Amino acid sequence: MIRRPPRSTLDRSSAASDVYKRQAVKSGGICYLDEVVEARKDTTVIIHPLTDHRRILTIDKLGEVYEADDDFLMVVSYNPGYQNALKDLKQSTRQRFVAIEFEFPSPELETKIIQSESGVDEKISDSFSQIISYWQK
């Protein structure tokens, strides 16, 4: 049975998000924040106390504080300079994580990936690869 999580804010998406963060923190799970530079401020303010010596999650609207389980992990991802060079992680946030940079595959490899994943022929996948290469510059 799937139950709707209790609300801690008036915003539906925020309520579910709060519940999932709490569950990860309390049970030693992994909290994954995708495109963290696009996240709302109420999401980004939880990062520092969760990733420093305090290891706590504070839900201000409920007046609740949760200590992170020893196995709790936080993973964030983002594309630096993707839409706006001004949108980037602050240095004080970035220093709390191990960074792994991924390079774009070569056009030849991209062609093979497109062909393999989509099933289109080499001519079409090569055309897509050229378009992708153009936009990556």
Side-chain angles (χ1 to χ4, degrees):
M1 179 171 121
I2 299 173
R3 292 181 7 170
R4 192 177 114 236
R7 289 192 175 171
S8 61
T9 68
L10 298 177
D11 180 0
R12 286 180 188 269
S13 64
S14 181
S17 179
D18 286 352
V19 170
Y20 299 136
K21 288 176 211 156
R22 262 185 285 185
Q23 287 174 346
V25 168
K26 289 168 48 176
S27 67
I30 298 172
C31 180
Y32 174 67
L33 302 176
D34 189 26
E35 293 299 339
V36 71
V37 294
E38 299 293 333
R40 295 185 328 254
K41 182 145 179 66
D42 65 335
T43 298
T44 58
V45 297
I46 70 160
I47 294 174
H48 285 218
L50 269 173
T51 56
D52 66 15
H53 67 281
R54 295 171 284 181
R55 292 187 50 81
I56 59 168
L57 170 65
T58 303
I59 309 285
D60 288 332
K61 294 189 187 228
L62 295 177
E64 297 174 354
V65 177
Y66 298 93
E67 252 185 71
D69 184 88
D70 288 342
D71 293 329
F72 170 75
L73 296 173
M74 178 170 282
V75 177
V76 300
S77 67
Y78 75 104
N79 296 311
Y82 167 58
Q83 292 180 343
N84 184 342
L86 299 176
K87 271 192 173 176
D88 204 354
L89 277 184
K90 293 179 182 174
Q91 179 61 28
S92 60
T93 304
R94 223 178 338 182
Q95 71 188 14
R96 296 165 189 271
F97 296 93
V98 173
I100 302 172
E101 289 189 36
F102 296 96
E103 298 295 324
F104 294 114
S106 68
E108 296 78 22
L109 179 56
E110 189 80 56
T111 297
K112 290 178 183 176
I113 292 169
I114 295 168
Q115 192 173 4
S116 170
E117 295 295 318
S118 69
V120 298
D121 65 37
E122 187 175 354
K123 184 176 180 183
I124 292 173
S125 60
D126 187 52
S127 295
F128 279 119
S129 178
Q130 289 176 25
I131 293 168
I132 291 166
S133 293
Y134 172 79
W135 287 107
Q136 290 172 347
K137 294 177 184 177

